[in-house]
Amino acid sequence: MNDLYLVWKNLFRKPLRTVLLIISIFIAFLIFGLLVGVNVALNRATETGSASNRMVVANKINFTESLPIAYLNRIATIPGVTAATHQSWFGAYFRDPAQSRFVGFAVDPGSYTAIFADQIRLGPGEREAFIRERSGVIVGRSLANQYGWRVGQTIPISSDIYFRPDGSRSWDMKVVGIFDGAKPTDPTNALYFNYDYLNEIRPFGRDTVGTISVLTASPDINDQVAKAIDATFANSPFETSTVDEKTFSRAFLKQAGDLNFIITMVVAAAFAAILMIVGTTLVSAVRERTKEIGVMKTLGFPGPRVLRMVLGESLLLSGLGGLLGLGVAALALNGLSRSPIGETFGALSMTAPVAAAGMGLALLLGLVTGLAPALSALRMNIIDALGRR
């Protein structure tokens, strides 16, 4: 009879209690795996989807405030700027605003597809059709597949920001192209349409844009160009804030909340609760086996061996719960990555560093919760153990 067999038998001597503890640990690690997996995917999308020499000019107050479109030509003449374009958030949805929201921007077709050629790959003739067609729209492949849209089809796209003079929020757009990303894992759940089509019809905010994207001659002069742009519009009614695209993307994500802080707090709360539950239960379990431990020591089991066995129960318990939680989280992330919802986050998966960190936490949880009862078993006196009622 080896120690592992004894550890297993002692752990499942009360199967219901053990199963409930494993479920508690499972839920904690499921939350950990899902939240960290999504956060890693978002950070990866921010890193890989940003060009080092691409910058974003936004209103200094907040990027939700608009800028005059006239700024575009002035920015294009600043030394170090090689190209510039603009984009305006549309607040797009298809039919049902509660179920079908997606990324939608009003852009200048020619300059935007040129500057973002690394993110928008169109088929032959589709870029020319987008430039030519006033009400044309290009749609990401995953979005087109989701709704069954095809090239040549006219689709009604609604906005929760803009409306037409008659009060309607629906804008008829003709699909002139379906684009792919640079890599198979790049999100393609967005659409882009002609800014002039929006600007000539909307009853408010004419001749303004959301942000302006700028290409610089080299990433080394980004700071210099940013300072020159912001100095150009200093003390004007629409002052600007210019940052590199990666920094802007991170700021955009933080509008939904500081994900790193949220994940830390949620995981910390879950593990604190599990720590108290598992720790208290294991202490009670050792107290229940006081006489058994006394008998084991009488039969010649040394104190360190008893300590290893009690600690092994805790490690096995947390290891099983952690492994199950991380495993189900990996399956859930893989399923989400293939769904329309997953397109928002890019490639969702359980990465090796996340899995390793999760198992490390499981072992740490086992050590922390099992240390007190293990030390109690180590120090237990045979006479006291056998005499305890």
Side-chain angles (χ1 to χ4, degrees), residues 55-57 78 81 216 221-232 240-244:
M55 307 187 73
V56 178
V57 184
I78 291 176
V81 174
T216 62
I221 63 171
N222 280 358
D223 289 342
Q224 176 186 335
V225 172
K227 290 177 182 178
I229 293 173
D230 294 341
T232 300
T240 61
S241 173
T242 306
V243 296
D244 63 87

Side-chain angles (χ1 to χ4, degrees), residues 108-355:
D108 175 69
S111 59
Y112 193 86
T113 51
I115 290 178
F116 289 91
D118 60 325
Q119 296 181 10
I120 300 174
R121 301 286 178 86
L122 291 165
E126 291 182 338
R127 181 172 182 266
E128 290 72 20
F130 185 34
I131 295 172
R132 182 177 62 253
E133 185 70 43
R134 193 74 160 178
S135 60
V137 59
I138 56 173
V139 182
R141 189 165 299 281
S142 65
L143 194 62
N145 291 339
Q146 180 182 353
Y147 295 109
W149 296 335
R150 60 187 184 278
V151 174
Q153 181 181 1
T154 299
I155 56 176
I157 301 298
S158 301
S159 170
D160 57 8
I161 300 174
Y162 300 104
F163 55 87
R164 303 169 71 92
D166 61 1
S168 170
R169 292 187 175 273
S170 179
W171 303 68
D172 291 333
M173 301 181 188
K174 182 179 179 182
V175 180
V176 295
I178 296 176
F179 68 86
D180 295 293
K183 302 185 297 297
T185 56
D186 286 345
T188 54
N189 62 323
L191 61 79
Y192 303 94
F193 66 97
N194 198 317
Y195 169 82
D196 290 338
Y197 176 53
L198 169 68
N199 195 50
E200 69 186 8
I201 297 176
R202 60 178 173 175
F204 69 92
R206 286 187 180 175
D207 298 327
T208 62
V209 296
T211 55
I212 296 173
S213 292
V214 172
L215 276 184
T216 62
S218 167
D220 297 333
I221 63 171
N222 280 358
D223 289 342
Q224 176 186 335
V225 172
K227 290 177 182 178
I229 293 173
D230 294 341
T232 300
F233 305 108
N235 301 317
S236 70
F238 300 92
E239 293 187 291
T240 61
S241 173
T242 306
V243 296
D244 63 87
E245 193 174 50
K246 189 182 299 182
T247 302
F248 181 82
S249 297
R250 288 173 179 166
F252 185 83
L253 289 177
K254 283 192 175 183
Q255 291 297 301
D258 190 334
L259 290 182
N260 289 323
F261 177 77
I262 293 172
I263 289 170
T264 301
M265 291 297 100
V266 170
V267 171
F271 278 86
I274 296 302
L275 187 68
M276 291 186 287
I277 294 171
V278 176
T280 304
T281 305
L282 288 177
V283 169
S284 299
V286 170
R287 288 183 63 86
E288 291 173 2
R289 304 205 309 268
T290 298
K291 287 189 177 182
E292 293 179 20
I293 293 173
V295 171
M296 291 171 64
K297 288 190 173 184
T298 302
L299 293 174
F301 281 72
R305 186 180 179 186
V306 175
L307 179 143
R308 290 196 300 271
M309 291 173 61
V310 175
L311 198 57
E313 290 180 42
S314 175
L315 289 170
L316 182 59
L317 180 69
S318 61
L320 285 173
L323 190 62
L324 286 172
L326 293 172
V328 173
L331 292 174
L333 289 171
N334 187 52
L336 283 173
S337 68
R338 299 176 183 177
S339 70
I341 296 175
E343 287 290 338
T344 304
F345 303 101
L348 290 173
S349 63
M350 177 69 67
T351 61
V354 173

